Every structure is written in C-alpha cells, then in structure tokens.
Amino acid sequence: VHLRHNVCQARADRILIDMSHCSGMDSTFMGVVAGIACYIKSNPAFSFKLINLSEKNQKLLVTLGVDRVVDYSLSASEEEQEILNQLDGSSQTLKNDMSSKLDTAKTTLEAHQSLVDINPDNLSKFKSILEYLRDDVRKLSDS
C-alpha cells in the first residue's frame, strides 16, 4: 500500500491511499481503515479516500459494511491522478510495524471492534475473534 497525501501549510489535510497494487485486504486492515474513516469524518477539515480500488476489494468493503463509512473509488479522478503524478517517486511504502505484542493485539482488537460498530451484523462473524483478542490483551497486559 502506498500512502500519498497533500501537504498544506506543513500539515496533511487529505489522505489518499492508492490501492492499485493491493490484491486483497484482511479484516484487520479493513477495520483500521474504518476506524480512520470514522475519525476523519468527525473533522470536516480533513479527507480520507481509497482510490484505484479493485472490484474484488470493493466487494470486501461491501461485505463487512466498510463501504458505509469510507470514501473510495475504483479509479482516480483527474485531480487525484494529477496528485499521484506530482508525488510519483515521493510516495512512501508502509513498512511492517514491529511494535509490541500488546500494541498489536490492541490494534487488532480495535480494528475488529470498529467493524462491529459500523455494522452490528459483523458481531456474529467476529465474536470468537473478539473474545480471543480481549483475552490476549488481558494476558499480555498482566505480563
């Protein structure tokens, strides 16, 4: 995933995630995206959008209801493509975060909870995962 953003007065006000090279998404990624989208929607000064999304990945968003909260498009608009062209070569590939097991478990739990928050039907899909992650966070916190 390549993260691209416009910088305006030394701060990012628009986040575009170019999904053109993304062959699939797991529930944790979609939950993080949903959480970011919900957070950013509460502040109209910022925008967040997935662009160049494949039809397969669009279906994944729809399946979990993430399409209800995240802005996305199957192709980049003319303006977005211009931004991508301007930033070509200056985009950053996200690297694996080597944070602690506790931080990873908390992030994964929050991501799956976001999926349930945006679509209560997801509870039946993720109930056992949520229970496992809550237990994992509790055990790692006690360590």
Side-chain angles (χ1 to χ4, degrees), residues 56-85:
K56 173 188 169 189
N57 285 333
Q58 178 189 23
K59 288 178 185 174
L60 290 172
L61 292 180
V62 170
T63 298
L64 295 180
V66 178
D67 65 311
R68 299 174 190 173
V69 296
V70 70
D71 293 330
Y72 69 91
S73 64
L74 300 181
S75 61
S77 70
E78 194 172 307
E79 177 192 7
E80 292 163 347
Q81 189 59 52
E82 188 176 311
I83 291 167
L84 294 178
N85 293 342

Side-chain angles (χ1 to χ4, degrees), residues 13-52:
D13 60 354
R14 175 190 286 184
I15 300 171
L16 299 174
I17 300 182
D18 182 4
M19 302 290 289
S20 58
H21 298 290
C22 180
S23 59
M25 301 180 292
D26 66 7
S27 57
T28 300
F29 178 79
M30 289 189 284
V32 169
V33 165
I36 292 169
C38 289
Y39 176 77
I40 288 178
K41 282 185 185 277
S42 69
N43 188 339
F46 297 96
S47 66
F48 174 74
K49 186 176 181 183
L50 304 179
I51 57 173
N52 296 319

Side-chain angles (χ1 to χ4, degrees), residues 102 132-143:
L102 177 58
Y132 170 81
L133 290 168
R134 285 185 192 112
D135 188 47
D136 198 30
V137 166
R138 197 170 22 259
K139 286 179 184 175
L140 290 168
S141 295
D142 291 342
S143 299

Side-chain angles (χ1 to χ4, degrees), residues 81-133:
Q81 189 59 52
E82 188 176 311
I83 291 167
L84 294 178
N85 293 342
Q86 288 174 3
L87 295 173
D88 197 32
S90 67
S91 65
Q92 300 172 358
T93 299
L94 300 178
K95 296 177 183 169
N96 287 337
D97 181 7
M98 299 307 227
S99 57
S100 74
K101 288 182 181 182
L102 177 58
D103 289 341
T104 301
K106 284 180 178 179
T107 299
T108 306
L109 175 59
E110 288 173 18
H112 286 84
Q113 187 59 56
S114 290
L115 293 172
V116 172
D117 291 345
I118 63 165
N119 183 359
D121 292 341
N122 287 333
L123 181 59
S124 62
K125 297 173 188 170
F126 298 117
K127 184 177 180 182
S128 61
I129 292 170
L130 287 166
E131 290 171 1
Y132 170 81
L133 290 168

